[in-house]
């Protein structure tokens, strides 16, 4: 097995668990947050900086890399790790979510999805087999099955149809995937319907994947509904396989997801809001551009020991952001990713010490949560 | 004296000299190239990265920092070094060149220059006294006298008038400047007229500055004319004071300038062309975006040992540039500055070994020079 999940400890007071993900590119403590490197780079960051802040696995996007620079070029470079000079682990998504959310004029059939590139309008086709071919060329440690992510909201009938297709596509992905140094995870769908979530989880579990994504959540529904759906989905998944909640990464969702037995997360949130000049701090979100920070010579977060907070003031970073200087978004990105990766470390420590509920209460009391 | 120039050696075969510039923020080997940090940041670079590539002194722009974030804010931050967390040396220009080249609706009188901000159109006045006030608030190791840089081309009469004004303003700057931990350099003007250059150099030398800028060159004239003007200007300047050729930084001009007795250079060229995707290599300029680099997995310059060339391929950097990823312009900037700073190190070694003419011939034979 190219990727193996080792269960270290189950929390006595929540469904959280401590584990280790063994990959060809290192052992990763879980629960883990994966920074997103859409175009073979975590925006603004160099690979050694990612290592320094504690990142051990990143996500990259099959849809984007297929369109630019092309998976054949990445294969010729010796795979994605060598192309981008990242020797940690990588997970590639399947391209499923992006063809639905980014591309133009898509047509979905049982065969696959025809779409037009968001870059130049050219026509393309993704099938489960093509997604596997691309992901095998990219050569990440973990590939994801090609799925249909129904839009939110969708009615029961459409959601069920997407689920059936996702199961059929998962089987085709498994047949097409033959790279032994790469794990293929299935993706649970089922929209906002608990019974469909349970059915999807059971159908995929029967196929026996080395790990499971939970897709189609955090797409606009209330967080309380997402938590309910996790509560009924996670117990259907095998104990000794990793569970990956796709596209979720706000601090409160990381705490709530971990408490529900999730092992892996990814999200563009920390890097995206960093580029808009907003940072996460122990006191909640801070809009650095605000005039109130103009003469504030304290760090972004006095409780943070990241490179940014050790070396630069709010006033300086605000100046850089207002002057459109690249160093500004570099510094906010370093801080936000450091903040989330440190939070994951605290979550793991709390699971070890059986005090995750206390960490959750303490953290959320200070950190303002948006619904 | 806050800044002291120590002459180490004069070249036997050219007018080049090896020296040391002692400043409150370190000793700098000369001839030296100063990367430009216009808005209190060398674009895309963090201060520790500048240190790593060998930068020991950088330039920052009085005009830009006065407009944003404002010199009073920088003063409150504890000065420019602390504001931007750079513990190496800094030189600030006087704002003279920028009010002529960047601002709108400027009016020049003997009192000073009234202008409108290029950012928001607001009205401002720079005088020699105001330039000194701003530069003392910024607190660089070296401040520059406020000068009038006549446009190219200008007739003899106008150029002479600008020279007279520059000399008068230099005297006013000297009277207004009273920061003992900061050196004030005069600026030689005189346009394209050898006799005016000589006159300006003599008038300023009589005032006795601790260093001399040579301004108003590399403004559109042929390089051969610039070299001729240097040949007649430099001998008029005192041997034991540093000479700074302002705004010049192409590799051939660094070699030719050093051979003519210049000790300090600055230029936006390496950082600006890096952001346009062009790099300097031992084989000449390379346009990284060109299709020919798409599948080239070799480094930008096989003879370079910078972070970029040790870790990334032309194909990857081209992908980053085409995908508008910040890491792309970070990597080209690191490379170009490393290239120029290493060239300066080779120039210093060649002066030491009395072989600067050989280095010049060897370098320029490989490096294509644009007129």
């Amino acid at each position: 097995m190219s990727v193996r999940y080792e269960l270290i400890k189950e929390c006595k007071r929540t469904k959280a668990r401590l584990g280790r993900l063994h990959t060809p590119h290192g052992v990763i403590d879980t629960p883990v947050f994966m920074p997103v490197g859409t175009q073979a780079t975590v925006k603004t960051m160099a690979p050694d900086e990612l290592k320094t802040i504690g990142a051990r696995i990143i996500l990259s996007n099959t849809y984007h890399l297929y369109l630019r620079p092309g998976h054949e070029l990445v294969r010729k470079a010796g795979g994605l790790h060598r192309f981008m000079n990242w020797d940690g682990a990588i997970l590639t998504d399947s391209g499923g979510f992006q063809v639905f959310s980014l591309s133009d004029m898509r047509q979905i059939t049982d065969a696959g999805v025809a779409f037009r590139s968001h870059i130049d309008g050219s026509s393309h086709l993704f099938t489960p087999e093509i997604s596997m071919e691309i992901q095998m060329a990219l050569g990440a440690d973990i590939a994801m099955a090609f799925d249909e992510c129904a839009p939110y909201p969708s009615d029961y009938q459409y959601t069920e149809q997407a689920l059936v297709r996702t199961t059929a596509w998962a089987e085709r992905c498994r047949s097409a995937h033959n790279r032994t140094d790469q794990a293929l995870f299935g993706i649970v769908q089922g929209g906002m319907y608990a019974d469909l979530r349970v059915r999807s989880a059971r159908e995929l579990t029967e196929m026996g994947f080395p790990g499971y994504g939970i897709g189609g959540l955090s797409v606009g529904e209330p967080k309380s509904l997402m938590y309910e759906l996790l509560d009924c989905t996670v117990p259907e998944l095998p104990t000794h396989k990793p569970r990956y909640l796709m596209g979720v990464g706000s601090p409160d969702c990381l705490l709530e997801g971990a408490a529900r037995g999730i092992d892996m997360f990814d999200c563009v949130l920390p890097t995206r809001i960093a580029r808009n000049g907003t940072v996460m701090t122990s006191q909640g979100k801070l809009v650095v551009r605000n005039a109130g920070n103009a003469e504030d010579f304290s760090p972004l977060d006095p409780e943070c020991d990241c490179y940014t907070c050790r070396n630069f003031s709010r006033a300086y970073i605000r100046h850089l952001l207002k002057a459109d200087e690249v160093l500004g978004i570099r510094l906010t990105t370093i801080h936000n990713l450091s903040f989330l990766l440190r939070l994951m470390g605290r979550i793991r420590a709390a699971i070890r010490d059986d005090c995750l509920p206390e960490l959750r209460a303490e953290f959320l009391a200070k950190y303002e949560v948006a619904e």
Side-chain angles (χ1 to χ4, degrees), chain A:
Chain A
M1 183 68 66
S2 58
V3 167
R4 183 172 61 83
Y5 175 74
E6 179 189 1
L7 178 62
I8 305 288
K9 184 193 163 171
E10 293 183 292
C11 177
K12 293 194 175 68
R13 301 164 61 200
T14 68
K15 287 186 188 149
R17 51 235 216 110
L18 205 61
R20 285 195 201 107
L21 200 61
H22 298 260
T23 80
H25 291 86
V27 178
I28 296 144
D29 294 321
T30 61
V32 66
F33 176 78
M34 303 182 284
V36 177
T38 297
Q39 302 191 109
T41 167
V42 174
K43 285 189 193 303
T44 80
M45 300 275 290
D48 50 332
E49 293 170 329
L50 284 169
K51 272 285 163 66
T52 300
I53 64 171
R56 293 294 174 263
I57 178 169
I58 63 172
L59 177 144
S60 200
N61 288 107
T62 292
Y63 168 84
H64 291 83
L65 295 178
Y66 160 79
L67 290 177
R68 188 171 57 192
H71 57 292
E72 284 303 335
L73 188 139
V74 176
R75 190 208 301 272
K76 282 183 197 164
L80 193 50
H81 296 86
R82 282 194 60 182
F83 184 58
M84 64 184 291
N85 193 36
W86 168 252
D87 64 1
I90 304 178
L91 179 149
T92 45
D93 66 4
S94 67
F97 182 75
Q98 279 73 27
V99 291
F100 296 111
S101 62
L102 289 183
S103 72
D104 297 325
M105 297 181 64
R106 57 190 172 275
Q107 288 182 301
I108 311 168
T109 65
D110 286 342
V113 184
F115 63 95
R116 288 183 182 276
S117 159
H118 74 289
I119 299 173
D120 62 5
S122 54
S123 294
H124 301 269
L125 174 71
F126 268 11
T127 64
E129 291 76 15
I130 291 172
S131 174
M132 290 303 99
E133 184 190 323
I134 299 168
Q135 290 188 76
M136 287 190 287
L138 297 175
D141 301 84
I142 301 171
M144 300 300 296
F146 189 66
D147 59 329
E148 180 179 353
C149 180
Y152 175 80
S154 289
D155 63 26
Y156 190 90
Q157 195 189 350
Y158 185 88
T159 306
E160 184 177 25
Q161 181 193 314
L163 179 165
V164 170
R165 197 175 265 151
T166 292
T167 298
W169 285 358
E171 189 60 56
R172 283 167 58 189
C173 284
R174 224 171 48 143
S175 299
H177 187 265
N178 58 18
R179 195 167 164 156
T180 55
D181 61 348
Q182 180 181 65
L184 173 64
F185 283 17
I187 300 181
V188 175
Q189 289 290 351
M192 303 301 149
Y193 304 99
D195 63 320
L196 295 182
R197 286 275 164 192
V198 169
R199 177 174 154 194
S200 178
R202 287 180 183 172
E203 289 179 359
L204 290 168
T205 301
E206 263 178 42
M207 288 185 220
F209 287 96
Y212 297 87
I214 301 175
L217 291 179
S218 196
V219 288
E221 79 282 9
K223 285 182 178 177
S224 53
L225 176 54
M226 177 173 82
Y227 299 147
E228 281 171 35
L229 291 165
L230 287 180
D231 284 334
C232 65
T233 305
V234 171
E236 300 297 331
L237 295 171
T239 302
H240 292 277
K241 295 289 185 310
R243 302 120 176 205
Y244 159 32
L245 181 54
M246 304 179 75
V248 169
S250 65
D252 51 321
C253 289
L254 295 177
L255 282 156
E256 300 289 353
R260 285 166 173 84
I262 298 296
D263 306 300
M264 303 164 69
F265 303 87
D266 82 283
C267 194
V268 296
L269 178 86
T271 42
R272 180 170 291 166
I273 68 173
R275 295 195 305 282
N276 292 331
T278 297
V279 293
M280 305 169 173
T281 81
S282 53
Q283 309 298 317
K285 280 188 193 170
L286 175 76
V287 180
V288 189
R289 281 174 174 272
N290 282 354
N293 299 310
E295 300 197 356
D296 188 337
F297 300 111
S298 65
L300 294 178
D301 185 350
E303 296 180 24
C304 181
D305 68 347
C306 79
Y307 172 75
T308 302
C309 290
R310 283 199 316 274
N311 290 291
F312 303 96
S313 67
R314 294 179 179 192
Y316 180 60
I317 296 168
R318 176 177 185 269
H319 161 65
L320 294 175
L321 293 171
K322 288 186 72 78
D324 283 329
E325 287 286 357
V326 161
L327 184 58
I329 59 173
R330 285 184 60 188
L331 295 178
T332 53
T333 299
I334 288 171
H335 171 78
N336 275 357
L337 285 179
S338 298
F339 182 86
L340 276 198
L341 292 172
R342 193 171 52 243
L343 174 60
M344 294 312 295
R346 292 175 67 192
I347 289 174
R348 291 192 297 269
I351 299 172
R352 190 164 48 238
D353 301 339
D354 289 312
C355 62
L356 187 58
E358 286 76 12
L359 172 63
R360 179 165 55 178
E362 183 204 340
F363 182 91
L364 296 181
K366 288 205 282 179
Y367 195 93
E368 189 191 342
V369 176
E371 177 56 59

